[in-house]
Amino acid sequence: MTATVTPPSTTASPARTSGAGTRRSGSKGRPSTIIVTAVLVVVALYFLIPVYWVVVAATKSTEDLFSTNGFWFAPTVALWDNLAQVLSYDNGIFIRWFLNSVLYAGIGALLATYFAAAGGYALAKYEFRGRNLVFGTILGGVLVPGTATALPLFLLFSQLGLANTYWSVLLPSLVSPFGLFLCRIYSQATVDTSLIEAARLDGAGELRIFHTIGLRVLTPALVTVFLFQLVGIWNNYFLPLVMLSDSGLYPITLGLNNWLSQVDRLPEFYELTTGGVLLSIIPLSIAMVVLQRFWRGGLTEGSVK
């Protein structure tokens, strides 16, 4: 009887092969993951370190601000005293500045977002003569910096009698070329024409279609435009500087700069400035935390199949 010997197979099993491939892909992806994580950590530190410094500086007196480590707390915490001084100085002028900034940034960002959504939706979903020309003009507006238009706006508002009023800062804030551009692109990509046609067949008017369908689908874009506009108006300094001469109309940025300009003569203004800066970043932080969840997707994603 002759025994038959089967030679060992040289082909690896599928499971072993897939395991080796997984190890190889994991070994290749690990360095890139580490690099990306390191870059994100550096970017996060770049944005968080100034905020941390503001928090630490707001807890110090003027003497401790210059005699202690800038990135660590002083033995005596003067945070509440500094904040109380900020809110009570000059009959509470900081509260007036804060409310002015809420007015400029809140109403301005809200109306600018609505107008950008309406314009972008119209340019994306309606066919009319000159549509591309209008869109090209808007793109040109994106390229023009705000500082270049501040002086012409001041001359125009002076002739209209609107200089040194709330309107001189609020009206220019209602226009957002970038927001209109973003809403037009987003409308083309997400607002399905079949939804609009179905609503028309049901007897809905164009304004109702825009408010019930268009705005809902555009929610992630609207949140983006609102936050960009809110931050831009809240941090705007040059336009109020040109337009306003009455300190009662100042936003926070102009008011804090007014305090900072007096530190050489009165060093206690360091405490007012650092405390005011800390209070000024709280509304933007709250807005970011509350509204960031709307970026995760549209409310009607998957409604059209």
Side-chain angles (χ1 to χ4, degrees), residues 10 12 42 44 58-59 66 74 87 147-148 153 194-195 201 219 224 235 243 263 281 298:
T10 58
V42 171
T59 63
F66 292 97
L87 298 176
T147 54
L153 284 174
S194 61
L195 276 177
L201 291 176
T219 297
T224 304
N235 294 330
M243 294 292 183
V263 295
I281 64 177

Side-chain angles (χ1 to χ4, degrees), residues 56-75:
V56 173
T59 63
K60 299 180 180 181
S61 63
T62 302
E63 294 78 10
D64 292 335
L65 189 63
F66 292 97
S67 61
T68 60
N69 187 348
F71 290 96
W72 195 246
F73 298 92

